[in-house]
Amino acid sequence: MTRKAAGRTPDKAQSPAPSELSCEVCGQMPEPTKTRLTLANIAVMLPIELLVHAAVVGTHLPYVAKVMVLTMTATILVIWVAEPSAARMLRGWLHAPALRHRKRLVAAPALWRARTVLKDRPGSLQKLTQALAGLDTNILSIHVHPVAGGVLDEFVLSAPGDVREAELLRALRAGGGADPHVWPTTALAMADGQTGALSLAARIAASPEELPLAVAELLRARIVTGTGAGSADVAPPAGPGGTVLRIPTAWHGPITFSRPGEPFTPAESARAHRLAELAEIVAHRPAAH
């Protein structure tokens, strides 16, 4: 299911000041292109050179003295006046390419995965969509999981690059969402989950011992090994809605998976258990003669 949150047009982003490009460690600005730096120096140095020449040539000094005065004066003015003045007065123009690049990066949309619980009643999703529209955020996909007290909606969102996690969380709460969670994600989140699950099922059918790795890949989780795998003292409660999931196997014992900060949904738990059943069926299937 794909939706576009129709909302207000965001205000035009202000161009970042050149000073925002300075390095946080050394405080230096990025090096401008040689062409722009040369043109800036010429623009500042040429008037100074003309004034110095006009002043010195009109004097009655000997020729050699005039050359020496012009050389020393021009050198001092270039080092102490021209170059600093060019860098200061024309810094916006000097760093324009870097500023344009930064502006494109800031304006580029970012992908987020979001999860929140809504009341299972008409208009709940529309209210949430309108809240996200206030941030000019598009809903690219949505999956609904029935849970106690309502439905757990899981979204893939496309938001402007300057939208932060806290803003998305506020919008989800303002739209009626309870216990919202947001994570940065990539375009892989848009992959067809059913096709991925079928591919992993085929992998398990060929090699049942691949079950732990296949489930970890399906859930984007890590396999918990050692004493922590079965200890409730070192891990949150296992099961849908928690960040730890255990699936039983007849020949291997329970396999524990962990995904800190991102609770497992009932649908993800069901898929993991079905893959475990498939592995058990294949592992105990009599060999064909």
Side-chain angles (χ1 to χ4, degrees):
M1 180 178 180
T2 304
R3 299 186 179 206
K4 181 177 176 70
R8 71 171 191 270
T9 302
D11 296 335
K12 186 177 180 181
Q14 295 182 352
S15 300
S19 57
E20 294 181 18
L21 295 172
S22 60
C23 175
E24 296 179 357
V25 178
C26 66
Q28 296 296 315
M29 298 280 282
E31 189 69 24
T33 61
K34 186 170 291 186
T35 300
R36 286 178 178 260
L37 186 59
T38 301
L39 292 175
N41 285 334
I42 291 175
V44 176
M45 289 164 53
L46 190 59
I48 296 175
E49 291 277 7
L50 290 175
L51 290 174
V52 171
H53 279 71
V56 173
V57 168
T59 65
H60 300 288
L61 294 173
Y63 177 76
V64 175
K66 289 183 179 180
V67 171
M68 292 297 297
V69 171
L70 286 174
T71 302
M72 293 298 296
T73 304
T75 302
I76 293 173
L77 289 175
V78 167
I79 295 175
W80 292 100
V81 178
E83 289 188 351
S85 298
R88 186 166 50 252
M89 292 189 305
L90 302 176
R91 63 177 183 172
W93 181 78
L94 283 171
H95 300 289
L99 288 168
R100 285 196 296 269
H101 182 63
R102 180 190 176 103
K103 188 175 180 180
R104 285 195 297 268
L105 289 177
V106 171
L111 294 180
W112 299 84
R113 290 185 63 231
R115 188 179 292 171
T116 190
V117 177
L118 291 176
K119 297 292 184 181
D120 190 10
R121 61 190 181 194
S124 296
L125 183 58
Q126 181 181 4
K127 182 180 178 182
L128 183 66
T129 301
Q130 291 173 345
L132 291 172
L135 297 177
D136 198 36
T137 297
N138 293 340
I139 299 177
L140 301 181
S141 71
I142 177 174
H143 297 281
V144 180
H145 312 280
V147 295
V151 291
L152 178 65
D153 284 7
E154 187 169 12
F155 307 95
V156 176
L157 306 174
S158 175
D162 57 349
V163 172
R164 296 293 174 257
E165 178 181 345
E167 297 175 270
L168 290 173
L169 289 172
R170 283 196 296 269
L172 291 172
R173 293 190 185 97
D179 192 26
H181 297 275
V182 175
W183 306 271
T185 189
T186 65
L188 293 176
M190 296 299 297
D192 183 2
Q194 288 80 2
T195 301
L198 289 172
S199 300
L200 293 173
R203 174 176 163 187
I204 292 172
S207 303
E209 64 275 8
E210 287 285 306
L211 175 66
L213 295 176
V215 173
E217 181 178 337
L218 175 69
L219 303 179
R220 300 179 300 280
R222 66 180 182 87
I223 304 170
V224 180
T225 58
T227 57
S231 173
D233 296 332
V234 296
T243 57
V244 172
L245 179 67
R246 297 190 185 96
I247 58 173
T249 61
W251 79 99
H252 187 282
I255 306 174
T256 305
F257 301 89
S258 174
R259 195 168 63 183
E262 187 175 354
F264 296 106
T265 65
E268 288 176 324
S269 175
R271 292 172 194 149
H273 281 78
R274 297 298 83 78
L275 289 179
E277 291 176 4
L278 174 62
E280 184 175 347
I281 292 171
V282 174
H284 292 82
R285 183 176 55 193
H289 295 289

